[in-house]
Amino acid sequence: MNKLHQTNIIYKRMLGIWKGFYKYDNDKIQKIIGYDKTEFEIVIDKFDGKNFSGEVNDDQNSGGMKETGQIFGRIENGKIYFEKLMPKDCQISENGDRKYSERNHPKIYYSGRLSNEKNKFEGNWKFKRKIGLLFFVIPIIYSPGNGTWEMEHKENSY
C-alpha cells in the first residue's frame, strides 16, 4: 500500500472517536501528576478533508483535567497538527494538589504523524510559552511543559 493510499484511508476515518494518552517528558512532573500517562478521548465532528474540530475530555482517573475542551487542527501528508483549548486553568502543586481558576488554560499544541499502524497518530505536545517575572522584576519566557502523545481511532465510532 503506497503512502497516498494510506493517507486517504485515515482521511476517511478522521470523524469519530479517538482514544489516546499524553505524558510529560519531565519525569519529575509526571511523578507529581501521579500516573504514568493521562488518557483522553477526542470526538472529531467536523472535517473538510484538511481542517478538523471537535471536543476533548481528559480522564480524571488518570490525572487529566476536568471540563470539556475544544480542539482545532489540520491534517496534511500524513501529519497532524492541532491545538487543545481547555476552559479552566489547572495548576498542580509539588504534592499533586490541583487548583482550578476561571482563567483559560494555556493553549496546548500537538503535532504528530500517522503511524505504521495506519489508524493511529503519535507525536509531541507542548504548552504555549508564558511570560513570568524572575524576582518579581525580570521578565522571562518559559514553557510549562511538553511531552509525547498517541491516539487511535475507534472503529465504527461514527
Side-chain angles (χ1 to χ4, degrees):
M1 189 180 307
N2 68 32
K3 185 86 169 163
L4 180 60
H5 185 66
Q6 291 173 1
T7 302
N8 286 337
I9 289 171
I10 200 65
Y11 283 167
K12 292 176 184 175
R13 293 185 181 166
M14 282 304 293
L15 292 174
I17 299 171
W18 293 82
K19 294 206 179 245
F21 69 87
Y22 63 86
K23 59 185 183 177
Y24 284 81
D25 282 346
N26 183 317
D27 291 336
K28 181 179 177 185
I29 294 173
Q30 194 64 53
K31 188 174 182 177
I32 290 170
I33 300 293
Y35 300 89
D36 292 336
K37 60 186 177 183
T38 299
E39 296 179 7
F40 63 80
E41 180 178 281
I42 290 177
V43 177
I44 295 176
D45 57 5
K46 291 184 178 73
F47 180 59
D48 67 8
K50 180 178 180 182
N51 300 297
F52 63 90
S53 62
E55 294 184 338
V56 59
N57 284 291
D58 283 356
D59 175 23
Q60 292 181 54
N61 294 324
S62 62
M65 294 180 277
K66 58 184 179 179
E67 309 290 335
T68 297
Q70 301 294 314
I71 60 157
F72 301 93
R74 71 184 191 284
I75 179 173
E76 49 191 57
N77 300 324
K79 294 183 181 174
I80 189 170
Y81 309 91
F82 63 93
E83 295 178 1
K84 178 179 174 183
L85 296 93
M86 298 304 285
K88 294 190 179 181
D89 191 28
C90 176
Q91 302 212 355
I92 303 172
S93 68
E94 296 232 3
N95 64 4
D97 290 338
R98 295 170 190 274
K99 181 180 176 186
Y100 288 90
S101 73
E102 293 302 314
R103 291 182 302 170
N104 286 340
H105 193 277
K107 283 183 185 177
I108 307 169
Y109 298 93
Y110 285 72
S111 63
R113 60 180 165 68
L114 183 61
S115 77
N116 291 333
E117 296 173 34
K118 298 164 187 69
N119 65 338
K120 186 193 312 187
F121 285 101
E122 52 193 17
N124 298 296
W125 63 267
K126 64 182 177 181
F127 279 106
K128 180 178 182 178
R129 291 185 179 151
K130 295 175 106 180
I131 296 176
L133 295 176
L134 183 63
F135 306 118
F136 303 104
V137 178
I138 304 166
I140 59 168
I141 297 174
Y142 70 97
S143 174
N146 63 327
T148 57
W149 67 279
E150 288 183 14
M151 71 178 186
E152 183 174 359
H153 192 267
K154 292 294 153 198
E155 297 297 322
N156 304 317
S157 61
Y158 254 48

